[in-house]
Amino acid sequence: VRTSGRFCDITYAWLTWNKPFMVVYFEDLVQNTERELRRVLRFLRIQVSERRLRCTLKHKDGKVKRKHSTLKSDPYNSTFVDIIEKTLRCTERLLPGLMHRYSRH
């Protein structure tokens, strides 16, 4: 899939931009949302507002002010899944060589 190459190029450009970066894994964000949010805020040097953090955690499922709706079809068709998987593999190959710049906040 040609698009996955473009995503890989974009990922490479971001990772080699010569600026500190932080890796946040979706699975970690889901498993321990508060810890990961605090880690991101620390990396960005943003002071934690406990009130806002509590509100974010309370509504982390994204159901704030949204009407309930169901999708009529699966948005992740096989082509899209292929793009995602190829981009993830590309990113995993790029990261080890750049881990010296990775933030462990």
Side-chain angles (χ1 to χ4, degrees), residues 25-36 60:
Y25 292 97
F26 176 78
E27 294 83 357
D28 294 341
L29 191 58
V30 170
Q31 278 186 337
N32 196 330
T33 306
E34 181 176 353
R35 180 193 67 210
E36 291 301 298
K60 71 179 185 174

Side-chain angles (χ1 to χ4, degrees), residues 44-57:
L44 296 173
R45 295 186 176 120
I46 296 174
Q47 185 173 355
V48 176
S49 163
E50 296 299 329
R51 181 181 59 80
R52 287 183 176 165
L53 184 62
R54 280 192 311 273
C55 181
T56 301
L57 294 171

Side-chain angles (χ1 to χ4, degrees), residues 84-99:
I84 292 170
E85 288 176 354
K86 285 182 179 180
T87 304
L88 286 172
R89 285 193 299 272
C90 173
T91 303
E92 289 169 351
R93 283 192 310 270
L94 292 171
L95 279 175
L98 299 167
M99 291 308 279

Side-chain angles (χ1 to χ4, degrees), residues 43-89:
F43 174 76
L44 296 173
R45 295 186 176 120
I46 296 174
Q47 185 173 355
V48 176
S49 163
E50 296 299 329
R51 181 181 59 80
R52 287 183 176 165
L53 184 62
R54 280 192 311 273
C55 181
T56 301
L57 294 171
K58 180 179 176 183
H59 301 291
K60 71 179 185 174
D61 293 324
K63 295 179 182 161
V64 181
K65 299 181 183 177
R66 291 187 189 163
K67 294 180 182 177
H68 181 71
S69 64
T70 55
L71 297 174
K72 295 183 184 359
S73 64
D74 185 357
Y76 299 104
N77 62 40
S78 62
T79 302
F80 191 65
V81 169
D82 189 45
I83 291 170
I84 292 170
E85 288 176 354
K86 285 182 179 180
T87 304
L88 286 172
R89 285 193 299 272

